Amino acid sequence: MLCSATPTFHDRRSLLLIGVAVLVSSSLVSLSHGVSSSCHHHPSSTSFQGLRRQILEGANGTLVLAAERTRRPDPLNNFNIYTDGWNVTNSHYIASVGFSAVPFIVIAIVWFVFLGLFLICSCLCCCCCGCGRRNYGYSRVCYTLSLIFLLLFTVAAVIGSTMLYTGQKEFYGSVEKTFMYIVNQATTVLGKLTSLWDSIQSAKDIQLDGNNLFPPQFRGNIDHFNKMIKMSNITYPDRVANQTIRYLTGVLNPVRLVLNVIAGVMLAIAFLGLLFSFCGLRVLVYLLVIIGWILVTATILLSAVFLVFHNVVADTCTAMDQWVHDPAAESALSQLLPCLDAKTIGDTLDITKKMTSTAVDMTNAYNVNVSNHDHFPPNVPFYHNQSGPLVPLLCNPLDEHRNPRPCAPNEILLANASQIYKGFVCQVNAEGICITQGRLTQASYDQMMGAINVAFTLDHYGPFLASIADCSFVRDTFRDITTKNCPGLTITSQWIYAGLASLSGAVMFSLIFWLIFVRERRHRSHTKKSMVQMNKI
C-alpha cells in the first residue's frame, strides 16, 4: 500500500487537519492586512487629529509622511523596519510596500509546488503500482466531512466572487469619481489661467488714441510676470485632464474585464467541480484540478499585486492628509509639487496689483484729461467734440500702498464699467468727430475696455494665481480628495484583494476536497457493492 495513489484513513485525517490549518493561516494573513489598513486609514475623522500628529522628523529635517502606516520590513536594508515614510521616489519605500505581498507569494509558491508534486507522485504511483490493485477502505466520517467542507468552500467561492465583482465595480466608480473631480478642478484652473494669460498678453498692446496704456518699464514687468507663470509650471492641469481620461479608459477597463473574467471562471470551476464530484466523474474532476491548480496560483499572485496597490493607495491618502495639515514643512510630497516660495508669491501679487492700479489710473487720467475736457481746439488729436454728462471715474480697488480700499460714491466698479461707459459713446462722422452727444468714440471705448478688462481680470484672478503658486489650491483639492474620495478608494481596493484572496482560498480547498470526496464516494460505492455480493453469498 505504500505505492497506493490514495492515502489511508490516517493520511486522510491528516490531510483534513492540514487543510484546515492552511485555511486558518491564509485567512489570518488576509485579515491582518485588512485590519491594518482599516486601522491606519482614517484621514478625515475628527478623532484622528490628535493621532495624526504622530509624525517623525527624518534625519535631514523633512516631515515624514504616513510614518506609522509605512513601517514595514525593508528587503533592501537587511529587512530592518522602513522609517522614512511615504515617498514614491524612494526605492526603499517601493521595496517595503512590495514586501507586504510576500505572504501571498509564499502561499502561491507552496501551493503550486506541493500540489504539483502530489499530482506527479500520484501519477507515478498509479503507473508503477497499478491503479486497480487497491485495498478499498471507507470512512463515513471522512465522507461526511469532505462533503460538508466541499459545500462550505463552494459557498465561500460564491461569497469571494461576489465580493470581487462588487469591489471592482465600486472601485471603478470611486476612481472615476476621483478622476472626474480632478478633471473638473483642472478645467476650472485652466479657464481662469487662460483668461489671466490672455489679459496679461494683451495688456502690452493696449493703446488709447495711439498712445500705449502702460509705460515701457511696466511692459517689462509684464514680460517678467509671464516668465513667472511659466516657471511655476501652473499649466499642468491640462496634462492632468488629458492623462486622466487616457488612463481611465486605457488601464481601468482592461483591469475590470480581467477581474470579471476571473470571478466568473473561478466560480464556474467551483460549481463544475462540485457537480462532477457528486456525479463521480473522476476524469473531469482530475482535469478541473489541473486547471484550477494553475488558476488558483495566478489568482493568489494577483491578490498580492492588489494588496500592494491597496497599501499604496492607503499610504498616499494618509500622506496627503498629513501634508494638507502642514504644507509648509519640507516633505516628500512638497518636493513633487511645483510650489513657489513666499518671495516669489509676493512678487507675483505685487505685479498683479501694480498692473491693476496702473490700468485704472491710466484710464481715469484719460477720462479726466480727454473725455471730460471740453476746450480742445478743433485740430488737436484729442478733440472729438466731446459733450454731455461727464464720464464717471473708475474705482481703484487698491490704495497707494496696494491695500484694498472702499470705493467713493461717485466711482464705478470695474465689473460695471462696460455697461455704464457704453452710455457715453457718441456717433461719429468719417473724420471720427462726434455728431451726437457723448464723450467717447467707439474706438476709444474699445481701447478703454481693453484696459478695464486687464484691471478687472488681474484684480479678480491675482489671489487665485497666488493660491496656485503656493499650492493652496492643491492643498484644498487634496483635502477634498482625502475626505470624500479616499475612504471609498481604500475600502473598495481592500474588497478587491480580499475577494481575490477569498476566492482563491475557497477554490484551493475545493480542489483538495474534490479529490477526497471523489475517492470516498468511489470507495463507498465499492463497499456497498461488496456488501451486496456478500449478502448474496
Side-chain angles (χ1 to χ4, degrees):
M1 292 300 297
L2 293 175
C3 294
S4 176
T6 56
T8 64
F9 171 71
H10 296 288
D11 295 331
R12 294 193 303 269
R13 185 174 61 182
S14 301
L15 184 60
L16 283 173
L17 293 176
I18 293 173
V20 174
V22 175
L23 173 63
V24 173
S25 62
S26 62
S27 300
L28 287 177
V29 169
S30 177
L31 181 60
S32 64
H33 287 286
V35 172
S36 175
S37 301
S38 61
C39 290
H40 284 297
H41 181 66
H42 295 286
S44 60
S45 62
T46 305
S47 61
F48 185 66
Q49 296 300 322
L51 296 177
R52 184 188 57 78
R53 300 313 304 163
Q54 295 178 357
I55 305 173
L56 304 178
E57 289 293 333
N60 55 356
T62 60
L63 184 68
V64 180
L65 300 175
E68 292 299 322
R69 210 206 124 67
T70 56
R71 290 179 59 86
R72 305 182 182 98
D74 180 10
L76 300 182
N77 189 24
N78 298 323
F79 297 96
N80 294 320
I81 298 298
Y82 174 75
T83 58
D84 290 339
W86 180 91
N87 189 350
V88 293
T89 63
N90 190 331
S91 59
H92 291 276
Y93 169 75
I94 300 299
S96 64
V97 74
F99 189 75
S100 63
V102 166
F104 283 106
I105 297 176
V106 171
I107 292 175
I109 295 175
V110 170
W111 161 258
F112 187 81
V113 171
F114 276 81
L115 186 61
L117 292 176
F118 173 78
L119 294 177
I120 293 174
C121 291
S122 298
C123 292
L124 291 177
C125 289
C126 184
C127 295
C128 297
C129 302
C131 297
R133 303 187 299 271
R134 333 196 146 155
N135 228 355
Y136 288 101
Y138 166 64
S139 170
R140 291 184 178 181
V141 175
C142 191
Y143 177 85
T144 304
L145 287 178
S146 63
L147 177 59
I148 293 174
F149 278 113
L150 184 57
L151 293 174
L152 287 178
F153 285 119
T154 303
V155 172
V158 174
I159 296 175
S161 179
T162 304
M163 184 184 301
L164 176 59
Y165 177 79
T166 305
Q168 63 83 21
K169 182 179 179 181
E170 295 295 329
F171 176 76
Y172 182 85
S174 297
V175 171
E176 186 177 36
K177 181 181 177 181
T178 303
F179 279 4
M180 289 304 102
Y181 172 75
I182 296 175
V183 169
N184 291 335
Q185 292 294 92
T187 303
T188 302
V189 171
L190 278 178
K192 294 180 179 180
L193 290 180
T194 301
S195 178
L196 182 62
W197 183 274
D198 293 342
S199 297
I200 294 172
Q201 290 289 350
S202 63
K204 295 194 301 182
D205 303 324
I206 295 177
Q207 294 182 341
L208 285 176
D209 286 338
N211 298 313
N212 289 325
L213 177 64
F214 295 109
Q217 68 273 16
F218 202 82
R219 298 175 71 186
N221 288 338
I222 295 177
D223 294 333
H224 176 67
F225 182 79
N226 288 333
K227 291 179 181 178
M228 290 174 61
I229 292 179
K230 295 178 181 179
M231 287 173 56
S232 65
N233 195 28
I234 54 180
T235 56
Y236 76 96
D238 186 26
R239 297 193 297 271
V240 172
N242 293 331
Q243 291 176 358
T244 297
I245 300 299
R246 185 169 64 252
Y247 289 156
L248 187 65
T249 57
V251 176
L252 291 182
N253 287 337
V255 171
R256 288 189 70 188
L257 179 61
V258 170
L259 293 177
N260 286 333
V261 169
I262 289 176
V265 170
M266 295 291 280
L267 188 60
I269 288 178
F271 276 112
L272 288 176
L274 180 65
L275 177 63
F276 294 159
S277 299
F278 281 163
C279 297
L281 304 176
R282 287 186 298 160
V283 176
L284 296 179
V285 169
Y286 296 155
L287 179 62
L288 279 181
V289 167
I290 297 175
I291 297 175
W293 169 50
I294 300 174
L295 289 179
V296 166
T297 304
T299 306
I300 296 175
L301 293 177
L302 194 59
S303 303
V305 173
F306 271 92
L307 175 58
V308 173
F309 176 76
H310 163 75
N311 286 334
V312 171
V313 169
D315 293 349
T316 304
C317 287
T318 303
M320 284 195 302
D321 177 66
Q322 293 178 352
W323 179 83
V324 162
H325 290 84
D326 198 358
E330 183 71 15
S331 64
L333 191 57
S334 64
Q335 295 172 0
L336 299 177
L337 296 174
C339 305
L340 301 183
D341 57 86
K343 183 181 182 301
T344 305
I345 296 167
D347 293 342
T348 303
L349 288 176
D350 187 59
I351 291 177
T352 58
K353 290 178 180 180
K354 285 182 179 179
M355 292 177 68
T356 301
S357 295
T358 300
V360 173
D361 292 341
M362 296 297 290
T363 303
N364 285 339
Y366 179 84
N367 285 331
V368 171
N369 298 321
V370 178
S371 302
N372 294 338
H373 195 79
D374 296 331
H375 304 291
F376 285 114
N379 295 328
V380 175
F382 295 118
Y383 173 74
H384 303 299
N385 191 25
Q386 300 94 318
S387 62
L390 298 179
V391 178
L393 299 182
L394 293 172
C395 172
N396 193 331
L398 304 170
D399 59 19
E400 62 273 12
H401 301 294
R402 305 289 187 258
N403 296 320
R405 62 172 286 268
C407 296
N410 58 337
E411 294 177 335
I412 63 174
L413 299 175
L414 293 173
N416 302 330
S418 175
Q419 182 179 1
I420 294 176
Y421 282 0
K422 189 70 175 177
F424 293 87
V425 177
C426 66
Q427 300 292 328
V428 298
N429 57 18
E431 288 77 20
I433 304 300
C434 291
I435 58 177
T436 61
Q437 178 177 286
R439 292 189 173 274
L440 299 173
T441 64
Q442 187 63 45
S444 63
Y445 171 81
D446 292 339
Q447 294 171 352
M448 191 179 295
M449 285 304 101
I452 292 174
N453 287 336
V454 169
F456 175 77
T457 302
L458 293 176
D459 179 62
H460 185 68
Y461 292 132
F464 169 77
L465 177 63
S467 71
I468 293 293
D470 70 356
C471 291
S472 297
F473 183 84
V474 177
R475 183 169 65 251
D476 295 337
T477 301
F478 280 4
R479 181 182 292 110
D480 290 340
I481 292 176
T482 55
T483 56
K484 298 177 182 178
N485 303 102
C486 273
L489 288 172
T490 305
I491 293 175
T492 53
S493 62
Q494 183 176 347
W495 284 359
I496 293 178
Y497 91 78
L500 285 169
S502 301
L503 183 59
S504 59
V507 176
M508 174 194 301
F509 291 103
S510 294
L511 298 182
I512 297 174
F513 287 105
W514 291 344
L515 297 174
I516 297 175
F517 181 76
V518 166
R519 180 185 183 282
E520 294 301 323
R521 185 181 183 281
R522 182 161 56 91
H523 288 191
R524 179 170 176 264
S525 176
H526 184 272
T527 302
K528 286 184 176 181
K529 290 180 180 178
S530 300
M531 293 178 62
V532 170
Q533 293 177 357
M534 290 177 61
N535 291 334
K536 289 182 179 179
I537 298 175

